[in-house]
Amino acid sequence: MSNQFQLFKRRRFSAMFFTQFLGAFNDNIFKQALILVLTYTAASKLGVEVSILNNLAAMLFILPYFLFSALAGQIADKYEKSKLTQFIKLLELVIMAVAAVGFVFEWYALLFVALFLMGTHSTFFGPIKYAYLPQAMKEDELVGANGLFQMGTSLAILVGMIVAGVLTQLSQSLYWISATVLVVAVLGYLAARYIPNMPAMQPNLKINWNIITTSLATVRYLYSLPFLFCIILGNSWFWFYGATFLTQVPEFSKVILLGNESVVIFLLTLFSVGVSIGSVMCKTLTKNKVSLHLLPFGIAGLSIFAIDLYFSLSGLDINVNNETLLGIGDLFNISGSWRVFTDLFLLGFSGGLYIVPLYASMQAYAPKSHRARIVGANNIFNAIFMVTSAIFAIVILNTLGFTLPQLFLVTGLLNIVFGTFLYIKLNKHVKHAIIQTNDGIAP
């Protein structure tokens, strides 16, 4: 297909795209609104530290990925995907109704329950959407479809956070938040109803409901496929890397740039738009082929611009005579600020070049019968790497006493080591991947 945006004319693509976009959008409206409510209202009412509540919220959302990803992969392999998606979207509507009650009555325990359930919803939807793409797309559409999905996810996260920030500023904000998450859940269900029937890949599979043995068996199976194992390590590194940077954006916006909330949104926008453009360009740059040729450029960019971000932030000289925080317009006039903005945009762009080839390769090389379970294993590793990124940042910043720019420098240097290791391993195993996979697509 000459233009990947023409995929939106195909119901087999557009219905799943908008289903997953609205799901990610709702996730982030709810999560960000809850974090803002916890930060500005609940902490003082409950007499609990803000950091404790926010870290608890983060843990509750990630926990289901550890617990249920392998089970979710089995279910996605066993059942027809359109009906399964519609059922999961109905559950999202129920969960958002629970969240709405929690917001309106300010029952924080109920909101934490809803957050865990939303994490569970996302855990079960993940293997469906990524196993769906290689089944619904033609071979020359897979890279373009993944680029659009990555673009959609990045924008859904960003816009969801912005909408949450706007809603919390309104009068009767808790009612507005409740109504919004319910409406978006309804729209997500309606989009899911247009997903075409997509036959189950292993309808006779006997599901193992023991989440511990299922997870171990899924990881063991993945380890027996060295190429896919390395692909998933690479995917998870992107989540480690992205979480390490994006988690620090609010703090370095305020502490280093002396910027207000609008600066935080602007920096997140730069990164997200960069990821989106890099993701969409992968189709053109790889000439529609599932290929790892762009991976070295993504790895190099993630290191070069992280290291340059260290120097650009270290070279800034911002003096504010009063305690008023700067807006975006103020920062534009400060020498060196454009270099910071460019680094963040190019970090995102490099991330798009890095992650899309890996996701497309994971889908193309995963055995049809186990494709959703491979995605489930991917989600387990993503969760582990994201938790590790939080521990890593705490150790670097709090235990070792490094500055934020130094954290970015260390992460960029680590990326050189990991990226080199990853590319060597992938090149070593790629020749054997088709033999090990019963439906491989040559890179």
Side-chain angles (χ1 to χ4, degrees):
M1 182 171 286
S2 58
N3 183 349
Q4 66 209 83
F5 289 97
Q6 290 181 13
L7 284 172
F8 284 109
K9 298 178 181 178
R10 310 282 188 267
R11 186 162 64 95
R12 56 191 165 86
F13 174 80
S14 57
M16 182 58 85
F17 176 89
F18 286 111
T19 301
Q20 81 92 27
F21 178 89
L22 290 165
F25 180 51
N26 219 17
D27 269 353
N28 285 278
I29 293 175
F30 175 54
K31 279 194 299 180
Q32 188 69 9
L34 178 57
I35 286 171
L36 292 171
V37 168
L38 293 176
T39 301
Y40 292 103
T41 307
S44 58
K45 285 187 177 181
L46 299 174
V48 180
E49 289 288 334
V50 172
S51 60
I52 293 175
L53 290 177
N54 286 346
N55 284 320
L56 176 61
M59 183 195 73
L60 282 173
F61 191 81
I62 292 175
L63 184 60
Y65 286 92
F66 286 112
L67 298 178
F68 306 126
S69 285
L71 177 61
Q74 287 185 86
I75 291 172
D77 275 332
K78 181 177 176 63
Y79 296 105
E80 191 276 318
K81 293 181 178 61
S82 65
K83 295 293 187 294
L84 192 57
T85 302
Q86 290 165 25
F87 176 73
I88 288 173
K89 288 291 140 181
L90 276 177
L91 289 180
E92 180 186 352
L93 191 51
V94 173
I95 295 165
M96 288 297 96
V98 171
V101 172
F103 276 125
V104 169
F105 292 98
E106 297 185 56
W107 293 343
Y108 301 115
L110 191 61
L111 286 170
F112 279 126
V113 170
L115 184 65
F116 177 82
L117 292 175
M118 259 321 257
T120 303
H121 157 271
S122 298
T123 301
F124 278 89
F125 182 50
I128 298 172
K129 66 181 179 184
Y130 284 116
Y132 172 91
L133 278 182
Q135 198 175 348
M137 298 297 109
K138 297 174 183 176
E139 183 178 328
D140 66 350
E141 295 173 336
L142 189 57
V143 174
N146 271 281
L148 291 173
F149 256 57
Q150 190 61 50
M151 175 196 75
T153 301
S154 298
L155 294 180
I157 292 170
L158 174 66
V159 177
M161 292 173 68
I162 293 172
V163 168
V166 171
L167 292 175
T168 53
Q169 299 304 308
L170 299 176
S171 101
Q172 302 294 320
S173 60
L174 297 178
Y175 288 92
W176 278 107
I177 294 167
S178 302
T180 302
V181 295
L182 282 169
V183 168
V184 176
V186 170
L187 292 174
Y189 172 71
L190 292 175
R193 290 186 62 84
Y194 287 91
I195 297 172
N197 188 285
M198 206 57 59
M201 298 311 299
Q202 203 172 356
N204 297 322
L205 175 67
K206 184 177 180 182
I207 293 177
N208 178 0
W209 295 95
N210 186 318
I211 58 176
I212 296 174
T213 58
T214 299
S215 299
L216 291 174
T218 301
V219 172
R220 274 197 302 268
Y221 176 74
L222 173 64
Y223 191 69
S224 72
L225 304 171
F227 180 73
L228 284 171
F229 182 71
C230 291
I231 286 283
I232 283 175
L233 286 182
N235 286 345
S236 298
W237 174 255
F238 178 76
W239 288 98
F240 173 98
Y241 190 97
T244 301
F245 275 78
L246 294 183
T247 303
Q248 318 310 323
V249 166
E251 187 175 350
F252 97 69
S253 296
K254 183 177 180 181
V255 175
I256 299 176
L257 300 180
L258 305 181
N260 59 25
E261 292 88 343
S262 67
V263 174
V264 178
I265 296 300
F266 176 67
L267 296 183
L268 291 173
T269 301
L270 282 176
F271 186 86
S272 299
V273 171
V275 171
S276 300
I277 294 173
S279 299
V280 171
M281 284 188 65
C282 283
K283 172 185 176 290
T284 302
L285 295 173
T286 60
K287 298 179 180 177
N288 280 347
K289 294 180 180 178
V290 177
S291 166
L292 296 174
H293 294 157
L294 289 179
L295 192 61
F297 297 98
I299 293 168
L302 287 172
S303 286
I304 290 168
F305 299 114
I307 293 168
D308 193 66
L309 185 61
Y310 161 75
F311 288 109
S312 61
L313 287 174
S314 300
L316 280 178
D317 184 20
I318 301 177
N319 293 307
V320 179
N321 295 326
N322 51 48
E323 294 185 1
T324 304
L325 293 174
L326 302 175
I328 299 167
D330 301 316
L331 282 174
F332 281 160
N333 297 320
I334 291 175
S335 175
S337 63
W338 280 92
R339 185 175 168 188
V340 175
F341 302 153
T342 303
D343 284 335
L344 269 175
F345 172 80
L346 291 174
L347 272 173
F349 181 82
S350 303
L353 297 184
Y354 174 92
I355 194 63
V356 169
L358 289 176
Y359 265 111
S361 296
M362 177 180 72
Q363 294 161 5
Y365 284 99
K368 286 182 180 179
S369 59
H370 287 68
R371 191 176 277 145
R373 276 167 284 178
I374 293 293
V375 178
N378 177 69
N379 289 344
I380 293 172
F381 279 95
N382 286 354
I384 292 170
F385 273 61
M386 287 176 72
V387 171
T388 304
S389 79
I391 297 169
F392 168 74
I394 290 169
V395 170
I396 293 291
L397 295 172
N398 299 102
T399 306
L400 299 180
F402 283 29
T403 63
L404 284 174
Q406 287 171 335
L407 170 66
F408 301 150
L409 174 65
V410 170
T411 307
L413 294 172
L414 277 178
N415 185 69
I416 295 174
V417 177
F418 180 85
T420 304
F421 161 81
L422 176 69
Y423 194 64
I424 291 171
K425 284 289 188 182
L426 288 174
N427 276 333
K428 175 183 176 182
H429 294 300
V430 68
K431 296 175 183 177
H432 306 290
I434 298 174
I435 298 172
Q436 289 181 314
T437 307
N438 61 21
D439 63 328
I441 301 172

